[in-house]
Structure formats: structure tokens, C-alpha cells
Amino acid sequence: MNKDMHKKLVEETKKYKTESIPLPRRYSNSQLTEYYSKIIGHLMARLEEENDILRDKRKAEISSLQNQINPHFLYNTLETIRSEALMHGDMDAAMMSESLADYFRYNISKKSDLVTIREELENIESYIRIQKFRFKQRIAYETVYHTEKHLIENAQMPKLILQPLVENSIYHGIEKNINGGKVTVHLFATEKRIIITVWDNGPGMPEEILRKVQEGLRTNKEILESEDRRGGIALSNINQRIQMIYGEEYGLTFSSVKGIGTEAEIVLPRVVKEKAEYDKK
């Protein structure tokens, strides 16, 4: 390769020059070849990175379109099933379709991450109605207010916090029990705090599993393994979300006694919906 050609190629590649790939002041054919190889590698890496960004953007666009289309399709289908069931006098199927529509509408709506406790409890009611079609009389559910109802229901909480706890109680505490069981949500309010417990009268956790759950919540890491994993990541996610919004003094804890039952406790600041700010203390 003659010098003119060298100069032309060098000038052409200067536009792609990076600090990590310096152009040698003096260069032989082998040095220039090595330099071009590095430049090509750098360009390929950048191209791959841009392709990944475009691919992720495309996936997000597709997901956004699906989110726009699927809910309407789902609600319309469930409403059609409900109407058909009512026409044939099948009240159970009609009620299940209605409960499922309400449940999905709440879960995939574009609402703020913060909802009222009343809204969260209504979602649990829909979820429980659906589960009762599966478990029949094996599941009992109750909501107990230990403070005046209006002081609790209008307080805010992160969306989709309680339902995973109720699901966890059903899966670990009731589903495997041939005689079924009961899930009770207890609600307390102080001047500045809301305390919610989800209790089940299932078999309780072995001490080793309880330690894993407590450690997972403390470190905000995955909690349960293998067949116990269902619900484990959700539990850690619940605690992490609460602490990200309100601070580390709030969150989720578990207690359990073998043969008696398990209790999940959520502590939140008492934030009334109309108020723009809250006191964390």
C-alpha cells in the first residue's frame, strides 16, 4: 500500500477515533491493520449496543400496544361470557366472570402506584371470590377493623401490596391443607401509622423457612427456593417498594408458629389521600 493510500485511510478513520484506541504517530502496515481491527471491533460493539437499544425500544412499543389492546379484549370477552351465563341461568359463572374482570381491571389499570386502602381491599374481595370458586368452602376470609373504618379506608398505600400476601397465605397456609383454612386481614390505625396484618391458620412455617423469609426481607433479596419460590420474590418486592416510597422504618415482617399459623405485618405511614405530604415519624 502506497503512502497516499495510507494517508487517505488514516484520515477516513480519524472520525471514528476514540481515546481508548489511539492512532499511532508512526505506523507500519501491521500496526495500521491492528488499528483498523480495533476500530472495526469498536464500531461493531457500538452497532450491537444501538441494535439492543432499538430492539428494547421496539419491544416496549409492542408491549405498549398490547397493553392498550389486551385489556379491552379481555373485558369484552369476560362481559360476553357473563352475559351468556346470565342468559342460561348460570349465576356462578356470571359472578366469576364479573370478579375476574374487576380483578384484572384493577391490576392492569394505569392508576398511580398509590391507592386507598379501600381500593386495595376491594381488589382482594374480587380475588377471594375467584379463589372460592376453586376451593369452594375450604377458604374463609374476613376483614377486621380495630380502629374506626373511615380512619383507615381513606389512607394511602402502594398498589398491589395486600393481594400477594393473601395469595401467599392461600398457597402456603391453606391450599395444601385438606381441611382448608381462614385468612384474616386485620387493620389498625394510630395518629401517624397504619398497621395491616394478613393472618392464616395454616400449618405455620418451619423455623428454617421463617429465618430465610426474615433474612430475605432484611436484605431485599430473593427469599424462597425451589418449590417454595412461589410468592418469595413478591414478598421481597413488597418490602422493597414500601421502603423505597416511605423509608426503611416501614415495611413488611413475618412471624409464624408451627401448627398455629402465619402472620405478615405491614407498617405504613398514615397518609390520607387528600393530603399532599405525610409525616414519617
Side-chain angles (χ1 to χ4, degrees):
M1 184 183 296
N2 59 42
K3 289 184 179 180
D4 291 338
M5 183 63 72
H6 269 307
K7 289 181 180 179
K8 186 175 181 180
L9 286 172
V10 169
E11 291 300 320
E12 183 65 24
T13 56
K14 277 182 180 178
K15 65 179 73 175
Y16 303 114
K17 187 171 67 172
T18 68
E19 293 181 1
S20 61
I21 310 176
L23 179 66
R25 294 182 179 180
R26 295 184 180 181
Y27 39 82
S28 62
N29 283 347
S30 61
Q31 288 174 317
L32 199 58
T33 300
E34 182 182 1
Y35 174 72
Y36 291 148
S37 296
K38 290 180 180 179
I39 288 290
I40 291 171
H42 174 71
L43 291 174
M44 291 298 290
R46 283 186 58 185
L47 182 61
E48 185 65 27
E49 183 180 343
E50 290 178 6
N51 282 340
D52 288 341
I53 293 172
L54 289 173
R55 193 179 301 116
D56 291 342
K57 183 179 179 182
R58 182 59 179 160
K59 284 181 180 178
E61 290 173 349
I62 292 172
S63 177
S64 177
L65 287 172
Q66 289 174 334
N67 287 337
Q68 292 175 36
I69 297 169
N70 288 348
H72 297 293
F73 173 75
L74 177 65
Y75 302 148
N76 290 340
T77 302
L78 289 171
E79 181 57 32
T80 300
I81 293 172
R82 178 175 176 275
S83 299
E84 287 291 318
L86 288 173
M87 287 176 61
H88 291 84
D90 191 340
M91 300 305 295
D92 284 349
M95 187 180 296
M96 188 172 185
S97 298
E98 184 177 15
S99 297
L100 194 58
D102 290 341
Y103 175 76
F104 279 117
R105 186 175 288 109
Y106 180 83
N107 278 258
I108 62 180
S109 68
K110 302 295 184 182
K111 281 187 175 183
S112 165
D113 188 52
L114 294 176
V115 295
T116 63
I117 291 176
R118 182 182 64 255
E119 290 172 313
E120 190 77 354
L121 290 172
E122 287 172 352
N123 184 54
I124 291 180
E125 293 283 355
S126 297
Y127 174 76
I128 289 293
R129 283 197 298 270
I130 295 166
Q131 290 291 9
K132 281 187 174 181
F133 281 100
R134 177 186 175 194
F135 293 102
K136 304 301 180 186
Q137 301 304 315
R138 289 179 56 213
I139 287 183
Y141 172 77
E142 186 179 11
T143 303
V144 180
Y145 291 87
H146 296 270
T147 313
E148 290 185 48
K149 196 172 182 180
H150 73 276
L151 296 176
I152 295 173
E153 286 193 324
N154 290 328
Q156 287 187 330
M157 69 180 300
K159 183 180 177 182
L160 297 175
I161 291 292
L162 291 182
Q163 185 272 327
L165 295 179
V166 173
E167 181 178 8
N168 190 71
S169 289
I170 292 173
Y171 177 70
H172 292 291
I174 296 175
E175 184 174 342
K176 298 174 184 178
N177 187 344
I178 192 169
N179 296 318
K182 182 176 182 179
V183 178
T184 306
V185 175
H186 296 272
L187 300 109
F188 308 79
T190 68
E191 184 181 353
K192 295 184 178 180
R193 289 178 183 260
I194 294 288
I195 300 169
I196 306 173
T197 67
V198 178
W199 176 84
D200 69 75
N201 64 346
M205 296 186 202
E207 289 186 10
E208 181 182 354
I209 297 296
L210 181 59
R211 280 197 300 271
K212 284 184 180 180
V213 170
Q214 292 170 334
E215 176 64 17
L217 293 174
R218 187 182 68 80
T219 58
N220 281 328
K221 291 182 180 179
E222 185 173 322
I223 297 170
L224 303 176
E225 298 294 335
S226 64
E227 70 275 8
D228 292 318
R229 181 173 292 177
R230 178 177 168 181
I233 297 177
L235 299 181
S236 180
N237 179 268
I238 289 169
N239 191 56
Q240 199 168 11
R241 284 177 61 207
I242 292 172
Q243 293 185 344
M244 285 177 65
I245 295 171
Y246 301 119
E248 293 186 2
E249 62 193 287
Y250 302 101
L252 171 66
T253 57
F254 268 83
S255 59
S256 186
V257 178
K258 187 73 173 173
I260 295 180
T262 300
E263 182 177 84
E265 180 182 273
I266 295 173
V267 179
L268 303 167
R270 183 168 173 267
V271 187
V272 179
K273 187 174 182 180
E274 289 76 17
K275 292 184 180 179
E277 297 180 355
Y278 59 86
D279 186 348
K280 289 186 178 181
K281 296 182 180 180

